[in-house]
Amino acid sequence: MMAGLREMRDQMRTVDLVVETRDARIPLSSINKQFEQIIKGKRRVVVYNKADLAPSAIQAAVRQEMDKRGQHVLFTDTSINQSVRQILTVARDMAKSDPIRYPQLVIMVIGMPNVGKSSLINALRRTGLNRGKAANTGAKPGVTRSLSSKIRVLESPPVYLVDTPGVMIPFIPDPIAAIKVALTGGIKDNIADENVLADYLLFRLNRFAGLDYCSILGIERPTDDITDFLQQLGTRIGALRQGGELDTDKAVQFFLRAFRRGRFGQLCLDDLDERSVEEFFQRSLENAPLSKNQSQKAKRAAQRQRSLERARKRKLL
């Protein structure tokens, strides 16, 4: 993770436009505060990808809240050329506005793991040049391991872009936000507790009015009891261990895959009323605590500073 941030920082001087990619299903929880210092002073477009998996009704609220914070927002579905072309239009207009300054315009695509950066790059190349895949993609986080070389996405004016590894926040202070990131695939399943994810997902599904998850999954009755739910689902899909015992692990994995593949329709896991948004930015961004590793580094830096100050007082330096 830190290596990815260092690579971004080193390359940023050659970048003209930053495309920060987030997940439309978690428009707040997929924000990474660490990007703010890296991209400071650069023009930025915030792209909420996977918009086909989120309700279109959230877009106005997200735009309004991000506009308050000076962030220009687009929503994209990488399967639709017209959707992706919005980004190319921003890049083209920027390049044409000052051809001397931008003889070739370079875009850096950044974001948390599994928000669809590589899919977006391939869609930009397909839309801009009518060419095929340029970046590896996958449903699991961490497919992109390092910065890629420049990939051309427009001929005239010449526009290139660079893919980057997904960078996770080192410590997510809000455990609910961490669960949301894991549910959408931003944290590897072998790290996250899948049973906790399933329990939270069931809780959210029960809150969505008009969502008949029983019919979608083929189970008998709605419930807020995860044990009862998994027994119903496991029986329905035939998740059995040797000897006929119910395999709840398989039921959990089936449930999570169903959500990630969009079987429950277009859903947003973040609350987007004005109060919730303000609380999120205050809690998770403005006053986010340091991770254990960051705290230790800060402590060592403070100790070094105190040692230097003592040495200066003693006129040793």
Side-chain angles (χ1 to χ4, degrees):
M1 180 202 68
M2 297 308 296
L5 285 172
R6 282 195 298 271
E7 285 185 274
M8 283 185 205
R9 193 175 287 110
D10 292 343
Q11 289 287 335
M12 194 58 67
R13 61 185 178 80
T14 67
V15 171
D16 304 302
L17 175 65
V18 175
V19 172
E20 183 184 349
T21 314
R22 301 173 185 168
D23 191 320
R25 295 169 296 177
I26 48 171
L28 301 178
S29 300
S30 56
I31 297 173
N32 190 335
K33 179 189 177 184
Q34 290 189 307
F35 294 149
E36 296 303 318
Q37 290 301 316
I38 295 175
I39 65 178
K40 204 169 185 179
K42 294 290 182 180
R43 183 170 176 183
R44 166 172 58 176
V45 176
V46 174
V47 173
Y48 280 102
N49 200 25
K50 305 186 181 183
D52 53 313
L53 298 177
S56 58
I58 71 165
Q59 295 187 12
V62 172
R63 282 197 175 96
Q64 179 179 323
E65 291 300 332
M66 295 305 144
D67 185 60
K68 291 178 185 177
R69 293 160 178 85
Q71 298 180 12
H72 176 51
V73 167
L74 301 173
F75 285 83
T76 58
D77 172 358
T78 55
S79 67
I80 301 175
N81 287 355
Q82 185 177 357
S83 172
V84 176
R85 197 170 284 121
Q86 301 174 90
I87 303 169
L88 293 176
T89 299
V90 171
R92 182 186 288 111
D93 291 347
M94 186 175 173
K96 286 184 174 180
S97 70
D98 194 341
I100 296 176
R101 183 179 181 183
Y102 305 117
Q104 61 175 33
L105 190 126
V106 178
I107 303 171
M108 179 178 283
V109 182
I110 65 175
M112 296 257 272
N114 210 40
V115 293
K117 299 184 306 302
S118 296
S119 295
L120 183 63
I121 285 174
N122 290 330
L124 287 166
R125 184 174 169 85
R126 181 192 70 231
T127 305
L129 296 176
N130 196 28
R131 292 184 186 172
K133 190 173 179 179
N136 292 328
T137 61
K140 294 181 180 180
V143 172
T144 305
R145 298 292 184 181
S146 60
L147 268 77
S148 68
S149 57
K150 290 180 183 178
I151 302 165
R152 186 187 285 265
V153 291
L154 268 182
E155 293 285 357
S156 180
V159 175
Y160 296 84
L161 52 77
V162 179
D163 192 9
T164 62
V167 176
M168 177 55 64
I169 303 171
F171 174 68
I172 303 178
D174 182 352
I176 301 301
I179 288 173
K180 293 172 184 177
V181 171
L183 269 174
T184 52
I187 299 173
K188 292 180 180 179
D189 287 341
N190 63 345
I191 297 175
D193 186 330
E194 292 182 330
N195 289 288
V196 171
L197 302 186
D199 195 8
Y200 180 77
L201 179 57
L202 178 62
F203 162 74
R204 294 296 301 205
L205 294 184
N206 278 313
R207 288 184 60 187
F208 291 118
L211 176 59
D212 186 1
Y213 62 83
C214 295
S215 296
I216 294 168
L217 295 173
I219 61 176
E220 293 181 5
R221 60 190 178 278
T223 179
D224 58 4
D225 184 335
I226 189 61
T227 302
D228 176 38
F229 173 81
L230 292 176
Q231 286 176 342
Q232 290 190 67
L233 182 58
T235 301
R236 148 73 179 82
I237 65 174
L240 301 174
R241 291 192 175 95
Q242 193 171 8
E245 180 187 358
L246 196 65
D247 190 338
T248 55
D249 290 341
K250 284 187 179 178
V252 165
Q253 291 161 7
F254 181 92
F255 184 37
L256 297 181
R257 280 198 306 271
F259 167 72
R260 289 166 181 166
R261 292 174 180 175
R263 286 193 59 190
F264 301 112
Q266 297 175 318
L267 301 176
C268 177
L269 298 180
D270 282 334
D271 296 318
L272 296 174
D273 59 278
E274 187 173 355
R275 180 178 176 181
S276 296
V277 173
E278 291 296 335
E279 287 179 352
F280 170 84
F281 277 99
Q282 184 175 5
R283 179 181 65 249
S284 299
L285 298 183
E286 294 165 9
N287 297 314
L290 297 174
S291 68
K292 184 178 179 181
N293 186 45
Q294 288 174 316
S295 297
Q296 290 172 342
K297 286 184 177 179
K299 186 177 179 180
R300 287 195 295 269
Q303 289 171 340
R304 285 196 298 271
Q305 185 62 33
R306 286 194 295 270
S307 297
L308 287 171
E309 289 173 358
R310 285 195 296 267
R312 289 191 184 100
K313 287 178 181 179
R314 296 171 185 167
K315 298 182 178 180
L316 296 177
L317 290 176

